[in-house]
Amino acid sequence: MEQRTNSPYPRIDRPTLAIIGVLLVLSCVLFFASDRDHDWRYYQAAFEEEVAQKFGEERAAAVTTGLQQIWVADLGRADRCITCHQATSWKGFENADEPFRTHPVEPLQGHPVEKFGCTSCHGGQGWAVDVIEAHGEIAHWEEPLLSRSLGEDYSLSGNKGALIQMNCNSCHRYDRETKGADAINLAKRLVDEKGCRACHVINNRGGRIGPDLTRVGEKAPEQYDYSRLSGQKTAFAWHVAHFKNPKAVSTDSTMPNFGFNTEQAQALAMLVLSWKLSHIPAAYLAGAPRTDVPTPEQAAEEERMRTGPGAWFVETGCATCHSIQVYGVEAPAQIGPDLSNAVEDVQSRFGRTIDDFLREPTGTMSVVLSRQIILTPEQKAIAVQKLREAFAVYQKQQAEKER
Amino acid sequence: MAQQPPEAPGVRSRRFWSLRPRSDRDAGDAITSNFLLHAMPAKVSNASMAWTYSFWLGTITAALFLLLVLSGLPLLFLYVPSVERAYQSVKDIEYVVSFGKWLRAVHRVAAHGMVIAVVFHLARVFFTGAYKNGVGRNQHREWNWVIGVVLLLLTLFLSFTGYLLPWDQLAFWAVTVGTNIASAIPWVGPSVRELLIGGREIEQATLIRFYVLHIVVLPGAVAALFGYHMWRVRKDGGLARADREEQLETPRTVPPTPTKTYTLLGVARGTAPTVTAKTLIAADTTVNAVPDLVRRALIATLGTIALISILAVFIASPLEEPANPLITPNPAKAPWYFLWLQEIVTDTTIHLGSFTINGAFIGGVILPGLLIGVLTLWPWLDRSPREATGEWFHPARRTQNLVFIVVMVAILLLTYIGMEMRGPYWEFFWPWETWPSLPSRI
């Protein structure tokens, strides 16, 4: 046999190889340990203990262990929340602290968990099984858990747990009133009362002066201008600030300041953020009309104004913002001044005659007359004539009053 | 049943051996034609074994490739290449599949590691002039260099195709930036982009193309070329370092090597003629491949596996929001190894009044094309003498080494700027400046 020549480095190489062997074993230990290290293991053990204390060992042994999930194929959601929140369907934990509290029965009656899962109402990241990730309080997850504590972070002035109502409105967006969604209901009433539709398309109906709001909740947080906003840079905070004072956030906005208080502004922010393009299967919206239907009273009122002496103003669209008291026409959004005395009012406000003002309007009216109500010179002449007629009636009424 | 006595004395049949040699010659032939026994030379010079010569970067690269194949296999069972399900399947791998998070991290860390290792390997070969031919006959190291350059490009493309698969914002926009750079090639650019992404939008067609490229075509190409790369190393007489040894060694009288036996080869029985060794195979300058070379190869391979495996426990793989073609993240960045190109594209985009000279052509096509071209042809352009083969920073190659270093440092610097100093709107930020915080929805 040939004589073997030995490595010049055996003193280094053999121990090195041995160390690497140790490292390989260590790496196995590490990744096994890291794979077992999940919050849910701790919570499941804790829950078993809770059950043992409350109901005895026997029932504790029956507690399901391991990863649990609710898979809702229709919504593409795999919600693993119940892996930790094991008490949701147990009786007897109604007053316990989270994560071991029984879920209130009432909302589940209309929204069975097999059909809705958890995250479609609560938000959060259903895929995850560790607290922070599952509650969605991490970067790159845009649907955080809409919890009471998040509401506290926003210092909601009303119900601190109201943020969850945004998700109610994904399916209930065409409802006038949704049971339990007080903030959203308040905001919907405000939309009606303030006549937002005068300028905005909402649910495919409304004016074109402001942007279409039907899917405004879809707008990415990066697409807002936060330069005039102090504090939190979130779409929600932007909307709250904007509702309180539109011009302070968006200087060239023509939106009037409605003087909303904090609760109203927050409710409206929730409402607009809930207006998203959501791919909800038809079965989840069964029976609901896919548009906002005016109430019978609203319809009757509109019909009355449309056929009365002020019909021209209603048809042309002036009556969306301006009331014409003398004809009994009441604008849904009282944004502009009453038109009954526009002839003298324009003169005193702008120092111009009504003909001149309509020919070359300024301010909000220039926006309205160039985008929403586009009139030919002939139509403008009719408008002036109609306004003069109204003014004549007004003067007559004033004279009668004085007498 | 009585065991058939083997005809060749000293050869015993084994249960799991397919071969039943009928004679000494049969047994010898089996050995001479056995690939595994000849993947390595019988002996290897001490100098080419040294850690500080090659840093074993080729072996490390190969180990990373092996690890990528091994960690990729289970991922194949778990990942769904459809735009509806890809993101969800990666979420599942991250959160609930046993060892899924670690597997994905191993795959990702190894992939980035392979890009780094391949580049370092190329740099090592350049600095040592190892693409030059030494004293051996029929050496064609220049071709192995060319294959190496192709393997580098394949590695980058493998990584790039894998980048898209999670179908999140990071993936989608990195691939958008990357393929947009490709479309700046004159005349054929848009067609190349269309061919690559299977249409004009990054969509399902892109995903399936990248997927098939990533799991079948490119790994297959790498495996085949890697095989040839290794074969050429043996064919060209091992590492260039060995050539240098042979060239510099002054002839000296060595004691006759102890006899070799050729019994097993079936050449002769018993002790065979004495072979007088030249210096290269002299006992004091060489070691046996088995076990010394094998041990070192094991250290490099297993060491790489251990390191990546441990790193993967601590380095989490990113997964951003689901891909959304309507929302561009700010800033949108190419994968890090293409960031130097993106940086050059920005820097060569010149606005003159209302005119814009798009830098994508210079930064995305001309410059990388020129670099790759010159790199490929370098063995033919390098006029340094033979003595510069297999020596770190040989004085005869000082200028070219300096140029290479300058180019590499420039690329690294631009990559660093792209990675760390480009914030929202691709604006420049010094490392001590904080980026403006990005808004969130709620």
Side-chain angles (χ1 to χ4, degrees):
Chain A
M1 265 310 243
E2 186 190 4
Q3 188 193 339
R4 216 182 102 180
T5 48
N6 281 319
S7 161
Y9 321 104
R11 277 163 191 271
I12 311 168
D13 283 14
R14 282 182 198 177
T16 310
L17 192 57
I19 290 169
I20 283 169
V22 173
L23 284 180
L24 280 171
V25 173
L26 176 74
S27 89
C28 290
V29 173
L30 276 175
F31 77 73
F32 262 91
S34 75
D35 194 65
R36 282 197 66 81
D37 178 31
H38 280 297
D39 298 349
W40 63 268
R41 289 186 201 274
Y42 164 77
Y43 287 115
Q44 288 198 345
F47 183 64
E48 216 177 298
E49 226 166 84
E50 292 268 321
V51 174
Q53 273 178 15
K54 257 197 162 103
F55 303 112
E57 294 292 337
E58 204 173 309
R59 291 206 52 198
V63 173
T64 45
T65 53
L67 283 174
Q68 316 281 317
Q69 73 171 10
I70 298 163
W71 166 238
V72 187
D74 282 346
L75 300 177
R77 284 177 193 267
D79 288 342
R80 288 149 191 161
C81 317
I82 50 167
T83 306
C84 297
H85 294 271
Q86 286 194 298
T88 46
S89 54
W90 280 64
K91 276 190 184 143
F93 289 94
E94 284 78 6
N95 298 314
D97 284 335
E98 288 295 8
F100 303 137
R101 194 185 300 163
T102 310
H103 196 287
V105 180
E106 205 189 344
L108 292 182
Q109 282 168 344
H111 307 87
V113 82
E114 322 69 73
K115 199 176 154 196
F116 288 86
C118 314
T119 53
S120 47
C121 298
H122 290 276
Q125 182 175 201
W127 308 107
V129 290
D130 292 293
V131 177
I132 295 170
E133 286 88 345
H135 291 183
E137 289 147 358
I138 45 163
H140 307 304
W141 189 260
E142 293 188 338
E143 286 178 48
L145 185 71
L146 300 173
S147 62
R148 185 165 287 274
S149 66
L150 189 64
E152 278 158 12
D153 287 350
Y154 272 109
S155 35
L156 290 191
S157 68
N159 172 10
K160 296 273 188 273
L163 288 173
I164 193 175
Q165 298 171 18
M166 283 194 277
N167 281 350
C168 304
N169 208 44
S170 301
C171 298
H172 292 280
R173 72 181 291 162
Y174 301 111
D175 292 2
R176 226 159 244 294
E177 281 272 322
T178 311
K179 200 175 147 200
D182 295 333
I184 291 289
N185 292 341
L186 166 68
K188 283 180 177 172
R189 273 200 306 280
L190 287 169
V191 168
D192 259 358
E193 281 168 21
K194 303 293 175 186
C196 305
R197 279 205 174 79
C199 301
H200 297 282
V201 172
I202 297 168
N203 294 344
N204 308 319
R205 195 160 66 82
R208 279 179 301 276
I209 294 169
D212 186 336
L213 299 182
T214 305
R215 284 173 189 168
V216 70
E218 206 63 27
K219 196 166 156 180
E222 294 88 355
Q223 292 166 335
Y224 292 90
D225 175 11
Y226 299 92
S227 52
R228 286 173 207 85
L229 199 70
S230 54
Q232 288 160 317
K233 280 187 182 170
T234 62
F236 184 81
W238 187 93
H239 278 294
V240 172
H242 183 258
F243 276 119
K244 283 184 167 173
N245 185 0
K247 280 207 173 56
V249 178
S250 171
T251 43
D252 50 355
S253 170
T254 53
M255 180 159 149
N257 186 342
F258 291 93
F260 292 123
N261 64 29
T262 305
E263 186 179 2
Q264 290 172 326
Q266 286 171 340
L268 283 164
M270 284 183 231
L271 181 68
V272 294
L273 282 183
S274 78
W275 284 334
K276 290 202 287 183
L277 166 74
S278 39
H279 301 282
I280 297 168
Y284 285 74
L285 300 163
R290 306 281 167 84
T291 177
D292 287 337
V293 186
T295 60
E297 297 82 46
Q298 283 175 332
E301 180 70 8
E302 215 180 304
E303 185 59 23
R304 186 185 64 74
M305 295 194 290
R306 199 175 282 283
T307 48
W312 183 86
F313 294 100
V314 178
E315 305 259 298
T316 314
C318 314
T320 329
C321 301
H322 300 278
S323 296
I324 305 103
Q325 287 289 339
V326 290
Y327 295 146
V329 172
E330 192 83 28
Q334 313 245 342
I335 298 164
D338 196 308
L339 292 185
S340 309
N341 63 336
V343 174
E344 67 173 11
D345 193 35
V346 167
Q347 190 72 43
S348 67
R349 276 175 198 251
F350 302 100
R352 295 165 65 192
T353 62
I354 187 84
D355 319 49
D356 189 36
F357 181 75
L358 275 185
R359 205 179 313 119
E360 275 178 45
T362 52
T364 309
M365 282 311 289
S366 77
V367 181
V368 174
L369 289 177
S370 62
R371 283 206 225 152
Q372 172 106 336
I373 305 172
I374 294 157
L375 300 173
T376 61
E378 294 77 41
Q379 285 170 319
K380 283 189 179 172
I382 296 173
V384 172
Q385 192 203 327
K386 291 282 180 191
L387 285 166
R388 292 229 163 90
E389 285 171 20
F391 187 56
V393 180
Y394 174 78
Q395 279 175 320
K396 214 156 100 196
Q397 282 182 359
Q398 290 298 43
E400 272 167 26
K401 250 186 224 169
E402 274 169 33
R403 213 180 294 156
Chain B
M1 203 172 82
Q3 185 93 21
Q4 192 88 18
E7 283 178 38
V11 177
R12 276 171 224 89
S13 68
R14 290 269 166 85
R15 190 177 295 270
F16 294 108
W17 285 8
S18 58
L19 183 78
R20 297 275 183 278
R22 299 245 146 237
S23 63
D24 284 357
R25 178 155 219 115
D26 260 6
D29 282 352
I31 287 164
T32 46
S33 61
N34 185 308
F35 169 75
L36 280 179
L37 293 180
H38 295 83
M40 285 184 186
K43 296 198 125 203
V44 57
S45 82
N46 286 341
S48 48
M49 275 252 298
W51 292 118
T52 50
Y53 172 68
S54 67
F55 294 96
W56 288 69
L57 287 161
T59 313
I60 291 171
T61 309
L64 288 168
F65 183 67
L66 173 76
L67 198 54
L68 281 162
V69 172
L70 291 180
S71 60
L73 277 174
L75 292 175
L76 278 184
F77 285 96
L78 301 164
Y79 172 77
V80 185
S82 98
V83 295
E84 287 89 14
R85 300 295 288 278
Y87 183 74
Q88 299 179 4
S89 64
V90 178
K91 278 274 181 205
D92 275 353
I93 291 169
E94 271 298 301
Y95 287 130
V96 287
V97 171
S98 299
F99 310 121
K101 189 179 188 160
W102 175 77
L103 267 175
R104 181 164 170 252
V106 165
H107 200 70
R108 174 172 170 272
V109 175
H112 289 326
M114 188 169 161
V115 172
I116 297 168
V118 165
V119 171
F120 276 124
H121 180 49
L122 176 123
R124 191 283 289 174
V125 171
F126 189 90
F127 290 138
T128 53
Y131 50 78
K132 294 167 68 65
N133 294 318
V135 292
R137 276 181 298 161
N138 289 325
Q139 284 181 325
H140 286 294
R141 290 220 173 91
E142 66 277 8
W143 286 111
N144 226 10
W145 168 265
V146 173
I147 290 161
V149 172
V150 175
L151 278 167
L152 164 70
L153 297 179
L154 283 175
T155 305
L156 291 178
F157 199 40
L158 250 174
S159 181
F160 183 62
T161 49
Y163 222 88
L164 181 69
L165 304 185
W167 204 249
D168 62 344
Q169 282 289 71
L170 183 70
F172 185 90
W173 289 96
V175 170
T176 304
V177 174
T179 52
N180 280 348
I181 289 177
S183 70
I185 305 170
W187 302 298
V188 292
S191 313
V192 167
R193 181 172 189 269
E194 201 167 320
L195 179 74
L196 196 61
I197 68 173
R200 287 175 196 166
E201 308 279 326
I202 296 179
E203 246 296 334
Q204 179 64 61
T206 321
L207 185 58
I208 202 73
R209 269 174 205 221
F210 274 46
Y211 177 69
V212 173
L213 284 172
H214 187 73
I215 66 157
V216 181
V217 180
L218 297 172
V222 167
L225 280 179
F226 166 70
Y228 186 61
H229 200 61
M230 293 313 291
W231 184 77
R232 277 235 66 88
V233 170
R234 292 276 281 115
K235 198 76 184 158
D236 293 335
L239 301 194
R241 183 74 184 161
D243 280 40
R244 180 170 170 75
E245 293 285 297
E246 181 116 335
Q247 283 180 64
L248 294 189
E249 198 89 36
T250 37
R252 58 182 174 138
T253 339
V254 285
T257 341
T259 49
K260 289 185 173 185
T261 59
Y262 289 87
T263 320
L264 271 176
L265 302 182
V267 176
R269 195 168 290 285
T271 49
T274 307
V275 178
T276 323
K278 289 194 73 182
T279 50
L280 191 61
I281 49 169
D284 60 340
T285 55
T286 58
V287 288
N288 291 330
V290 183
D292 296 312
L293 182 65
V294 172
R295 193 188 296 119
R296 287 223 153 165
L298 273 179
I299 290 175
T301 309
L302 295 180
T304 306
I305 292 175
L307 181 72
I308 299 291
S309 165
I310 292 172
L311 284 179
V313 174
F314 298 103
I315 300 177
S317 322
L319 185 62
E320 299 194 348
E321 294 89 348
N324 186 345
L326 300 177
I327 297 168
T328 318
N330 193 0
K333 291 188 178 185
W336 64 266
Y337 39 82
F338 288 149
L339 273 181
W340 60 284
L341 291 177
Q342 197 179 353
E343 182 60 35
I344 294 170
V345 169
T346 323
D347 297 339
T348 51
T349 300
I350 302 161
H351 300 282
L352 289 170
S354 59
F355 279 102
T356 299
I357 299 169
N358 189 353
F361 179 59
I362 302 169
V365 181
I366 295 274
L367 204 76
L370 215 65
L371 277 180
I372 299 291
V374 171
L375 200 65
T376 311
L377 296 178
W378 197 251
W380 288 277
L381 300 173
D382 179 359
R383 299 266 167 212
S384 60
R386 273 182 173 208
E387 288 73 48
T389 308
E391 162 105 347
W392 275 91
F393 302 117
H394 192 277
R397 299 180 62 251
R398 183 182 293 147
T399 317
Q400 47 179 302
N401 278 337
L402 271 176
V403 171
F404 190 87
I405 289 172
V406 168
V407 172
M408 288 293 267
V409 167
I411 288 175
L412 281 178
L413 204 66
L414 289 171
T415 307
Y416 178 76
I417 291 173
M419 276 169 82
E420 301 293 335
M421 291 152 87
R422 289 293 184 181
Y425 304 101
W426 202 254
E427 266 169 28
F428 187 86
F429 291 91
W430 290 106
W432 55 86
E433 290 175 319
T434 44
W435 294 6
S437 63
L438 286 176
S440 63
R441 212 172 103 77
I442 296 166

